[in-house]
Coordinates of all heavy atoms in Angstrom, one line a residue:
M1 N 101.7 98.4 104.3 CA 100.7 97.4 104.2 C 99.4 98.0 103.6 O 98.8 97.4 102.8 CB 100.4 96.9 105.6 CG 99.3 95.9 105.7 SD 99.8 94.3 105.1 CE 98.4 93.4 105.5
Q2 N 99.0 99.2 104.1 CA 97.8 99.8 103.6 C 97.9 100.2 102.1 O 96.9 100.1 101.3 CB 97.4 101.1 104.4 CG 97.0 100.8 105.8 CD 98.2 100.7 106.7 OE1 99.3 101.0 106.3 NE2 97.9 100.4 108.0
V3 N 99.1 100.6 101.7 CA 99.3 100.9 100.3 C 99.2 99.7 99.4 O 98.6 99.7 98.3 CB 100.7 101.6 100.1 CG1 100.9 101.9 98.6 CG2 100.7 102.9 100.9
A4 N 99.7 98.6 99.8 CA 99.6 97.3 99.1 C 98.2 96.9 99.0 O 97.7 96.4 97.9 CB 100.5 96.3 99.7
L5 N 97.5 97.0 100.0 CA 96.0 96.6 100.0 C 95.2 97.5 99.1 O 94.4 97.0 98.3 CB 95.5 96.6 101.5 CG 94.0 96.2 101.6 CD1 93.9 94.8 101.2 CD2 93.6 96.4 103.1
A6 N 95.5 98.8 99.2 CA 94.8 99.8 98.3 C 95.1 99.5 96.8 O 94.2 99.5 96.0 CB 95.1 101.2 98.7
A7 N 96.4 99.2 96.6 CA 96.8 98.9 95.2 C 96.1 97.6 94.7 O 95.7 97.6 93.5 CB 98.3 98.8 95.1
S8 N 96.0 96.6 95.5 CA 95.3 95.4 95.1 C 93.9 95.6 94.8 O 93.3 95.1 93.9 CB 95.5 94.3 96.3 OG 96.8 94.1 96.5
V9 N 93.2 96.4 95.7 CA 91.8 96.7 95.4 C 91.6 97.5 94.1 O 90.7 97.2 93.3 CB 91.2 97.5 96.6 CG1 89.8 98.1 96.3 CG2 91.2 96.6 97.8
V10 N 92.5 98.4 93.8 CA 92.4 99.2 92.6 C 92.6 98.3 91.4 O 91.9 98.3 90.4 CB 93.4 100.3 92.6 CG1 93.6 100.9 91.2 CG2 93.0 101.4 93.6
V11 N 93.6 97.4 91.5 CA 93.8 96.4 90.4 C 92.6 95.6 90.2 O 92.2 95.3 89.0 CB 95.1 95.6 90.7 CG1 95.2 94.4 89.7 CG2 96.3 96.4 90.6
F12 N 92.0 95.1 91.2 CA 90.8 94.3 91.1 C 89.7 95.0 90.5 O 89.0 94.5 89.6 CB 90.4 93.8 92.5 CG 89.2 93.0 92.5 CD1 89.1 91.7 92.1 CD2 88.0 93.5 93.0 CE1 88.0 90.9 92.1 CE2 86.8 92.8 93.0 CZ 86.8 91.5 92.5
F13 N 89.5 96.2 90.9 CA 88.3 97.0 90.3 C 88.6 97.4 88.9 O 87.7 97.7 88.1 CB 88.0 98.2 91.2 CG 87.2 97.8 92.4 CD1 87.6 98.2 93.6 CD2 86.0 97.1 92.3 CE1 86.9 97.8 94.8 CE2 85.3 96.8 93.4 CZ 85.7 97.1 94.6
V14 N 89.9 97.6 88.5 CA 90.2 98.0 87.1 C 90.1 96.8 86.2 O 89.6 96.9 85.1 CB 91.6 98.7 87.0 CG1 92.0 98.9 85.6 CG2 91.5 100.0 87.7
L15 N 90.7 95.7 86.6 CA 90.8 94.5 85.7 C 89.6 93.6 85.8 O 89.3 92.8 84.9 CB 92.1 93.7 86.0 CG 93.4 94.4 85.7 CD1 94.6 93.5 86.0 CD2 93.4 94.8 84.2
G16 N 88.9 93.7 86.9 CA 87.7 92.8 87.1 C 86.7 92.9 86.0 O 86.3 91.9 85.4
P17 N 86.2 94.1 85.7 CA 85.2 94.2 84.6 C 85.7 93.7 83.2 O 85.0 93.1 82.4 CB 84.9 95.7 84.5 CG 85.2 96.2 85.9 CD 86.4 95.4 86.4
L18 N 87.0 94.0 83.0 CA 87.6 93.5 81.7 C 87.6 92.0 81.6 O 87.2 91.4 80.6 CB 89.0 94.1 81.5 CG 89.1 95.5 81.2 CD1 90.6 95.9 81.2 CD2 88.6 95.8 79.8
V19 N 88.0 91.4 82.7 CA 88.1 89.9 82.7 C 86.6 89.4 82.6 O 86.4 88.4 81.9 CB 88.8 89.4 84.0 CG1 88.6 87.9 84.2 CG2 90.2 89.8 84.0
W20 N 85.7 90.0 83.3 CA 84.3 89.5 83.2 C 83.8 89.6 81.8 O 83.1 88.7 81.3 CB 83.5 90.4 84.2 CG 82.1 89.9 84.3 CD1 81.0 90.2 83.5 CD2 81.6 88.9 85.2 NE1 79.9 89.6 83.9 CE2 80.2 88.7 85.0 CE3 82.2 88.2 86.3 CZ2 79.4 87.9 85.7 CZ3 81.4 87.3 87.0 CH2 80.1 87.1 86.7
W21 N 84.0 90.7 81.1 CA 83.5 90.9 79.8 C 84.2 89.9 78.8 O 83.5 89.4 78.0 CB 83.8 92.4 79.3 CG 83.3 92.7 78.0 CD1 82.0 92.8 77.6 CD2 84.1 92.8 76.8 NE1 82.0 93.0 76.2 CE2 83.2 93.1 75.7 CE3 85.5 92.8 76.6 CZ2 83.7 93.3 74.4 CZ3 85.9 93.1 75.3 CH2 85.0 93.3 74.2
I22 N 85.5 89.7 78.9 CA 86.1 88.7 78.0 C 85.6 87.3 78.3 O 85.4 86.6 77.3 CB 87.7 88.8 78.2 CG1 88.2 90.1 77.7 CG2 88.4 87.7 77.6 CD1 89.6 90.4 78.0
T23 N 85.4 87.0 79.5 CA 84.9 85.6 79.8 C 83.5 85.5 79.3 O 83.2 84.4 78.7 CB 84.9 85.4 81.4 OG1 86.2 85.6 81.9 CG2 84.4 84.0 81.7
E24 N 82.7 86.5 79.4 CA 81.3 86.4 78.9 C 81.3 86.3 77.3 O 80.6 85.5 76.8 CB 80.5 87.6 79.3 CG 79.1 87.6 78.9 CD 78.3 88.8 79.3 OE1 79.0 89.9 79.7 OE2 77.1 88.8 79.4
T25 N 82.3 87.0 76.7 CA 82.4 87.0 75.3 C 82.8 85.6 74.8 O 82.3 85.1 73.8 CB 83.4 88.0 74.8 OG1 82.9 89.3 75.2 CG2 83.5 88.0 73.3
I26 N 83.8 85.0 75.5 CA 84.3 83.7 75.1 C 83.2 82.7 75.3 O 83.0 81.8 74.4 CB 85.5 83.3 75.9 CG1 86.7 84.2 75.5 CG2 85.9 81.9 75.8 CD1 87.9 84.1 76.4
I27 N 82.4 82.8 76.4 CA 81.3 81.8 76.6 C 80.2 81.9 75.5 O 79.7 80.9 75.0 CB 80.7 82.0 78.0 CG1 81.7 81.5 79.0 CG2 79.4 81.2 78.2 CD1 81.4 81.8 80.5
E28 N 79.9 83.2 75.2 CA 78.8 83.4 74.2 C 79.3 82.9 72.8 O 78.5 82.2 72.1 CB 78.5 84.9 74.1 CG 77.6 85.3 75.2 CD 77.3 86.8 75.1 OE1 77.8 87.5 74.2 OE2 76.6 87.3 76.0
E29 N 80.5 83.3 72.4 CA 81.0 82.9 71.0 C 81.6 81.5 71.0 O 81.7 81.0 69.9 CB 82.0 84.0 70.6 CG 81.4 85.3 70.3 CD 82.4 86.3 69.8 OE1 83.5 85.9 69.4 OE2 82.1 87.5 69.7
E30 N 82.0 81.0 72.1 CA 82.7 79.7 72.3 C 84.0 79.6 71.5 O 84.5 78.5 71.3 CB 81.8 78.6 71.8 CG 80.5 78.5 72.7 CD 79.6 77.4 72.3 OE1 80.0 76.6 71.3 OE2 78.6 77.2 72.9
H31 N 84.6 80.7 71.1 CA 85.9 80.7 70.5 C 86.5 82.1 70.5 O 85.7 83.1 70.7 CB 85.9 80.1 69.1 CG 84.8 80.8 68.2 ND1 84.9 82.0 67.7 CD2 83.6 80.3 67.8 CE1 83.9 82.3 67.0 NE2 83.0 81.3 67.1
L32 N 87.8 82.2 70.2 CA 88.4 83.6 70.2 C 88.7 84.0 68.8 O 89.4 85.0 68.6 CB 89.7 83.5 71.0 CG 89.6 83.5 72.5 CD1 90.9 83.3 73.1 CD2 88.9 84.8 73.0
T33 N 88.2 83.3 67.8 CA 88.5 83.7 66.4 C 87.6 84.9 65.9 O 87.9 85.5 64.9 CB 88.3 82.5 65.5 OG1 86.9 82.1 65.6 CG2 89.2 81.4 65.8
G34 N 86.6 85.2 66.7 CA 85.8 86.4 66.3 C 86.5 87.7 66.6 O 87.4 87.8 67.5
M35 N 86.1 88.7 65.9 CA 86.7 90.0 66.1 C 86.5 90.6 67.5 O 87.4 91.1 68.1 CB 86.2 91.0 65.1 CG 86.8 92.4 65.2 SD 88.6 92.3 64.8 CE 88.7 93.4 63.5
R36 N 85.3 90.3 68.1 CA 85.0 90.8 69.4 C 85.8 90.1 70.5 O 86.3 90.8 71.4 CB 83.5 90.6 69.6 CG 83.0 91.3 70.8 CD 81.4 91.1 70.8 NE 80.9 91.5 72.1 CZ 79.8 91.2 72.6 NH1 79.0 90.5 71.8 NH2 79.4 91.7 73.7
G37 N 86.0 88.8 70.3 CA 86.9 88.1 71.3 C 88.3 88.5 71.2 O 89.0 88.7 72.3
Q38 N 88.8 88.7 70.0 CA 90.2 89.1 69.9 C 90.5 90.5 70.4 O 91.5 90.8 71.0 CB 90.6 89.0 68.4 CG 90.8 87.6 67.9 CD 91.2 87.5 66.5 OE1 91.3 88.5 65.8 NE2 91.3 86.3 65.9
L39 N 89.5 91.4 70.1 CA 89.6 92.7 70.6 C 89.6 92.8 72.2 O 90.3 93.5 72.8 CB 88.5 93.6 70.1 CG 88.5 95.1 70.4 CD1 89.8 95.7 69.9 CD2 87.3 95.8 69.9
G40 N 88.7 92.0 72.8 CA 88.6 91.9 74.2 C 89.9 91.4 74.8 O 90.4 92.0 75.8
V41 N 90.5 90.4 74.3 CA 91.8 89.9 74.8 C 92.9 90.9 74.6 O 93.7 91.2 75.5 CB 92.2 88.6 74.1 CG1 93.6 88.1 74.5 CG2 91.2 87.5 74.5
L42 N 92.9 91.6 73.5 CA 93.9 92.7 73.3 C 93.8 93.8 74.3 O 94.8 94.3 74.8 CB 93.8 93.2 71.8 CG 94.8 94.3 71.4 CD1 96.2 93.8 71.4 CD2 94.4 94.9 70.1
I43 N 92.5 94.2 74.5 CA 92.3 95.3 75.5 C 92.7 94.8 76.9 O 93.3 95.6 77.6 CB 90.8 95.7 75.5 CG1 90.5 96.4 74.2 CG2 90.5 96.5 76.7 CD1 89.0 96.7 74.0
L44 N 92.5 93.6 77.2 CA 92.9 93.1 78.5 C 94.4 93.1 78.7 O 95.0 93.5 79.7 CB 92.4 91.6 78.8 CG 92.9 91.0 80.1 CD1 92.3 91.7 81.3 CD2 92.6 89.5 80.1
F45 N 95.1 92.6 77.6 CA 96.6 92.6 77.7 C 97.2 94.0 77.7 O 98.1 94.3 78.5 CB 97.2 91.9 76.5 CG 97.0 90.4 76.5 CD1 97.0 89.7 75.4 CD2 96.9 89.7 77.7 CE1 96.9 88.3 75.4 CE2 96.8 88.4 77.8 CZ 96.7 87.6 76.6
L46 N 96.6 94.9 76.9 CA 97.1 96.3 77.0 C 96.8 97.0 78.3 O 97.6 97.7 78.8 CB 96.5 97.1 75.8 CG 97.0 96.7 74.4 CD1 96.3 97.5 73.3 CD2 98.5 97.0 74.3
G47 N 95.6 96.8 78.8 CA 95.2 97.4 80.1 C 96.1 96.9 81.2 O 96.6 97.6 82.1
T48 N 96.4 95.6 81.2 CA 97.3 95.0 82.2 C 98.7 95.5 82.1 O 99.4 95.8 83.1 CB 97.3 93.5 82.1 OG1 96.0 93.0 82.1 CG2 98.2 92.8 83.2
A49 N 99.2 95.7 80.9 CA 100.6 96.2 80.6 C 100.7 97.7 81.1 O 101.6 98.1 81.8 CB 100.9 96.1 79.2
V50 N 99.6 98.5 80.8 CA 99.6 99.9 81.3 C 99.6 100.0 82.8 O 100.3 100.8 83.4 CB 98.4 100.7 80.6 CG1 98.2 102.0 81.3 CG2 98.7 100.8 79.1
L51 N 98.7 99.2 83.4 CA 98.6 99.2 84.9 C 100.0 98.7 85.5 O 100.4 99.3 86.5 CB 97.5 98.3 85.3 CG 97.1 98.3 86.8 CD1 96.7 99.8 87.1 CD2 96.0 97.4 87.1
A52 N 100.6 97.7 84.9 CA 101.9 97.2 85.5 C 102.9 98.3 85.3 O 103.8 98.5 86.2 CB 102.3 96.0 84.7
S53 N 102.9 99.1 84.2 CA 103.9 100.1 84.0 C 103.7 101.3 85.0 O 104.7 101.8 85.5 CB 103.7 100.7 82.6 OG 104.0 99.8 81.6
I54 N 102.4 101.6 85.3 CA 102.2 102.6 86.3 C 102.7 102.2 87.7 O 103.3 102.9 88.4 CB 100.7 102.9 86.4 CG1 100.3 103.6 85.1 CG2 100.3 103.8 87.6 CD1 98.8 103.7 84.9
V55 N 102.4 100.9 88.1 CA 102.9 100.4 89.4 C 104.4 100.4 89.4 O 105.0 100.8 90.4 CB 102.3 99.0 89.6 CG1 102.9 98.3 90.8 CG2 100.8 99.1 89.8
L56 N 105.0 99.9 88.3 CA 106.5 99.9 88.3 C 107.1 101.3 88.4 O 108.1 101.5 89.1 CB 107.0 99.2 87.0 CG 108.5 98.9 86.9 CD1 109.0 98.1 88.0 CD2 108.8 98.3 85.6
A57 N 106.5 102.2 87.7 CA 107.0 103.6 87.7 C 106.9 104.2 89.1 O 107.8 104.9 89.6 CB 106.3 104.5 86.7
G58 N 105.8 103.9 89.8 CA 105.6 104.4 91.2 C 106.6 103.7 92.1 O 107.1 104.4 93.0
W59 N 106.9 102.4 91.9 CA 107.8 101.7 92.8 C 109.2 102.2 92.5 O 110.0 102.4 93.5 CB 107.7 100.2 92.5 CG 108.7 99.4 93.3 CD1 108.6 99.2 94.6 CD2 109.8 98.8 92.8 NE1 109.7 98.4 95.0 CE2 110.4 98.1 93.9 CE3 110.4 98.7 91.5 CZ2 111.6 97.4 93.7 CZ3 111.6 97.9 91.4 CH2 112.1 97.3 92.5
L60 N 109.6 102.5 91.3 CA 110.9 103.0 91.0 C 111.1 104.4 91.5 O 112.2 104.8 91.9 CB 111.2 102.9 89.5 CG 111.4 101.5 89.0 CD1 111.6 101.6 87.5 CD2 112.6 100.8 89.6
R61 N 110.1 105.2 91.6 CA 110.2 106.6 92.1 C 110.4 106.6 93.6 O 111.1 107.5 94.1 CB 108.9 107.4 91.7 CG 109.0 108.8 92.1 CD 107.7 109.6 92.0 NE 107.2 109.5 90.6 CZ 106.1 109.9 90.2 NH1 105.3 110.5 91.1 NH2 105.7 109.8 89.0
R62 N 109.8 105.7 94.3 CA 110.0 105.6 95.8 C 111.3 105.0 96.2 O 111.7 105.2 97.3 CB 108.8 104.9 96.4 CG 107.5 105.5 96.1 CD 106.4 104.8 96.8 NE 106.1 105.6 98.0 CZ 105.6 105.1 99.1 NH1 105.3 103.8 99.1 NH2 105.4 105.8 100.1
K63 N 111.9 104.2 95.3 CA 113.1 103.6 95.7 C 114.3 104.6 95.7 O 114.5 105.4 94.8 CB 113.4 102.5 94.6 CG 114.4 101.5 95.0 CD 114.5 100.4 94.0 CE 115.5 99.4 94.4 NZ 115.6 98.3 93.4
P64 N 115.1 104.5 96.8 CA 116.2 105.5 96.9 C 117.4 105.3 95.9 O 117.6 104.3 95.4 CB 116.7 105.4 98.3 CG 116.2 104.1 98.8 CD 115.0 103.7 97.9

C-alpha cells in the first residue's frame, strides 16, 4: 500500500508540471499548431511512456 501511494505521488510530481505547462501553452496560443504546443505534447507523451516503462520494469522484476 505504501509503495503504491509513493509511486502515485512521484507520478503526480513528475507529470504535474508538464501537464501544467502544456495547458498554459494551449491557453496562450489557443491551438496546437504552433511549434511550442506540439513540442510540449510530444514531451508529455514521451515522459509518460518513459515513466510507464520504468514502472512496468519494476513490476516485472518483482514478479516471481
Side-chain angles (χ1 to χ4, degrees):
M1 175 75 174
Q2 291 87 4
V3 174
L5 182 61
S8 300
V9 169
V10 168
V11 168
F12 176 74
F13 282 124
V14 169
L15 294 180
L18 286 174
V19 171
W20 186 270
W21 180 71
I22 289 171
T23 304
E24 184 178 20
T25 301
I26 291 171
I27 289 171
E28 285 178 359
E29 294 183 8
E30 296 181 0
H31 51 75
L32 286 175
T33 57
M35 183 62 123
R36 193 171 168 198
Q38 290 179 0
L39 182 63
V41 172
L42 179 65
I43 290 171
L44 177 68
F45 287 155
L46 290 176
T48 305
V50 167
L51 190 60
S53 299
I54 292 169
V55 169
L56 184 61
W59 179 70
L60 289 175
R61 185 185 306 173
R62 298 184 98 204
K63 196 173 182 181

